[in-house]
Amino acid sequence: KNEVEQSPQNLTAQEGEFITINCSYSVGISALHWLQQHPGGGIVSLFMLSSGKKKHGRLIATINIQEKHSSLHITASHPRDSAVYICAVRETSGSRLTFGEGTQLTVNP
Amino acid sequence: DGGITQSPKYLFRKEGQNVTLSCEQNLNHDAMYWYRQDPGQGLRLIYYSQIVNDFQKGDIAEGYSVSREKKESFPLTVTSAQKNPTAFYLCASSIAGANYGYTFGSGTRLTVV
């Protein structure tokens, strides 16, 4: 079992829909990251969370430390949101990141 | 603007040849990392360095080597001992020893033929 599990693996939505991507982890963490990877391959850091909720534009990230679960929400989705979204955790025992396998999101016009 | 530069974006090599991937950052970050990405798998850590002239093996270091002679640079050599070198390689950096975010490069896609 992976230490970081994401669901769903693939998600197709229509433009304007509200989207949720989930991340569960099994280790103690000091922070959780949400990353975005576009088809060209480069990765952009969206959020770093250690508690609560963060919002940036149409993106919202939440984390529940007790339940070891985080969600990434996209409101009013747009085709340009199409990308792979990756959850990664930084364990309390070290400085390394452990990554989920990613969620491929496709938003159709 | 500060950031990480990986070069080249695409690289083709013949089987049995060593190849070096470049990673340079001007963020004054102490820590640098190399990850490998294969289809359907999460990123896996190859090597990391938290300070100049020091580095540690990650989860899949076999067949790879690194150096950290300068704070700004962390080149990765894929040697002929790496059995399946064709992959997408990502470099990242962060401020070491604290809970800071990471900055990622744009990656190098290596194809060995």
Side-chain angles (χ1 to χ4, degrees), chain B residues 17-36:
Chain B
Q17 289 182 333
N18 291 356
V19 60
T20 298
L21 281 58
S22 169
C23 179
E24 304 275 333
Q25 54 100 359
N26 60 3
L27 300 162
N28 201 33
H29 283 174
D30 300 301
M32 297 187 73
Y33 310 83
W34 273 107
Y35 296 96
R36 171 180 170 139

Side-chain angles (χ1 to χ4, degrees), chain B residues 84-98:
Chain B
N84 294 300
T86 294
F88 187 66
Y89 292 88
L90 275 159
C91 179
S93 70
S94 71
I95 298 175

Side-chain angles (χ1 to χ4, degrees), chain A:
Chain A
K1 188 181 188 309
N2 291 338
E3 292 176 337
V4 181
E5 297 272 355
Q6 286 185 237
S7 64
Q9 283 188 309
N10 294 282
L11 181 56
T12 300
Q14 287 301 120
E15 185 172 355
E17 285 184 2
F18 181 83
I19 287 162
T20 296
I21 299 170
N22 295 300
C23 176
S24 297
Y25 53 91
S26 57
V27 295
I29 69 168
S30 58
L32 182 142
H33 298 253
W34 280 105
L35 311 167
Q36 182 190 55
Q37 185 173 31
H38 277 282
I43 289 181
V44 173
S45 181
L46 298 175
F47 295 103
M48 184 178 70
L49 293 164
S50 54
S51 65
K53 176 179 170 177
K54 286 190 176 180
K55 185 175 187 293
H56 185 250
R58 295 180 295 106
L59 300 177
I60 303 166
T62 64
I63 188 168
N64 185 318
I65 296 293
Q66 287 73 31
E67 294 187 5
K68 295 187 174 179
H69 181 268
S70 176
S71 293
L72 176 68
H73 305 285
I74 304 176
T75 62
S77 60
H78 190 277
R80 65 174 174 266
D81 296 326
S82 298
V84 176
Y85 292 85
I86 301 170
C87 171
V89 300
R90 182 170 182 159
E91 297 182 32
T92 49
S93 58
S95 62
R96 298 161 43 156
L97 290 181
T98 302
F99 294 81
E101 293 182 9
T103 295
Q104 173 70 61
L105 171 65
T106 303
V107 181
N108 294 318

